[in-house]
Amino acid sequence: MSMQKFFMASLSLLAVSANSLADDPKAKAELQSKLAAMQQYQAEFAQAVVDVDGELIHEATGKLTMAQPDKLRWETFSPDETLLVADGTSVWNLDPFVEQVTVINQQTAVQDNPIILLTTADMSVWNQFDIEYGLPGKHSFVVKPLDGEGQIKSLSLTFQGDVLSSLAMTDAQSQVSTLKFASVESEFVLPDSTFRVSIPDTYVVDDQR
């Protein structure tokens, strides 16, 4: 699963059927509180993707950096080096292997994608999703788009205390992409260049904005 697909179609601990989720105001308020405290977040991750039969189809390692509002940097180190940056206006997807960068409008990229809740406190956005508690006895939440038309059918978020420790997304093909985080930081110096993209002269730019 590519970074671009992860963020736009794909960005498990829980697998939730389309009819099993009902909005829980208490769960929504608690999740809002936890994410509001996450003004910035940085962690290493291990990603595993399984298909509808539970077969492992992809693994990756990398680093995720997020900052509110609406900024994200996603780097993979293995099996390939790639970079995706959402700067609040556009999403930049760099693929060094083919020396190409694809640029799309960020609002289009995250439409109906619950991953957007990680970096926004905008209630007009939050109201587009149902939120319910996940596994009993654990600090987990399940988020599902109200209209059900997007490629992401559910997002589960699990916390250790107030720290986001893992997330899992189930897509329209019932593939589940799980990220487990390590070396988590919430207070760190954020260089100005974190959400900027430097494009080598040799790269082809596919600007779809």
Side-chain angles (χ1 to χ4, degrees):
M1 183 179 293
S2 69
M3 284 193 312
Q4 188 175 15
K5 182 176 180 181
F6 173 84
F7 186 77
M8 294 185 292
S10 138
L11 182 182
S12 145
L13 298 176
L14 298 169
V16 180
S17 71
N19 296 320
S20 65
L21 190 64
D23 194 44
D24 183 334
K26 183 179 178 181
K28 178 175 284 188
E30 184 175 346
L31 181 58
Q32 284 176 320
S33 178
K34 286 182 178 294
L35 294 181
M38 238 172 59
Q39 289 296 307
Q40 56 186 42
Y41 179 91
Q42 185 169 270
E44 298 174 359
F45 67 81
Q47 180 188 16
V49 183
V50 299
D51 64 17
V52 65
D53 297 316
E55 295 292 328
L56 181 66
I57 58 175
H58 180 72
E59 290 183 293
T61 61
K63 183 177 181 180
L64 174 66
T65 305
M66 297 184 293
Q68 297 192 30
D70 306 326
K71 292 181 173 62
L72 178 146
R73 181 184 180 92
W74 165 280
E75 302 170 82
T76 60
F77 306 139
S78 68
D80 300 300
E81 292 186 6
T82 54
L83 173 65
L84 181 143
V85 174
D87 63 13
T89 302
S90 301
V91 177
W92 306 75
N93 187 35
L94 281 76
D95 189 336
F97 182 74
V98 296
E99 295 192 342
Q100 177 173 310
V101 56
T102 302
V103 191
I104 64 172
N105 180 278
Q106 186 166 331
Q107 185 174 2
T108 301
V110 298
Q111 187 173 2
D112 298 324
N113 191 331
I115 199 75
I116 192 176
L117 298 187
L118 296 177
T119 59
T120 185
D122 187 337
M123 282 306 300
S124 67
V125 176
W126 278 78
N127 289 336
Q128 297 172 29
F129 300 91
D130 276 341
I131 298 171
E132 180 64 276
Y133 285 113
L135 294 173
K138 292 192 175 183
H139 297 284
S140 62
F141 305 83
V142 181
V143 184
K144 180 172 161 292
L146 281 173
D147 62 17
E149 298 296 327
Q151 283 294 312
I152 299 300
K153 297 306 179 184
S154 68
L155 168 70
S156 62
L157 302 169
T158 299
F159 292 79
Q160 291 184 346
D162 291 326
V163 177
L164 180 65
S165 59
S166 65
L167 66 80
M169 290 194 291
T170 303
D171 68 16
Q173 289 73 46
S174 297
Q175 292 184 355
V176 180
S177 176
T178 301
L179 275 75
K180 295 185 178 180
F181 299 114
S183 303
V184 176
E185 296 181 83
S186 58
E187 295 184 9
F188 52 92
V189 176
L190 196 62
D192 293 339
S193 60
T194 303
F195 304 110
R196 295 177 184 169
V197 177
S198 178
I199 304 173
D201 294 338
T202 57
Y203 277 41
V204 174
V205 178
D206 178 15
D207 194 335
Q208 301 179 11
R209 291 173 292 181

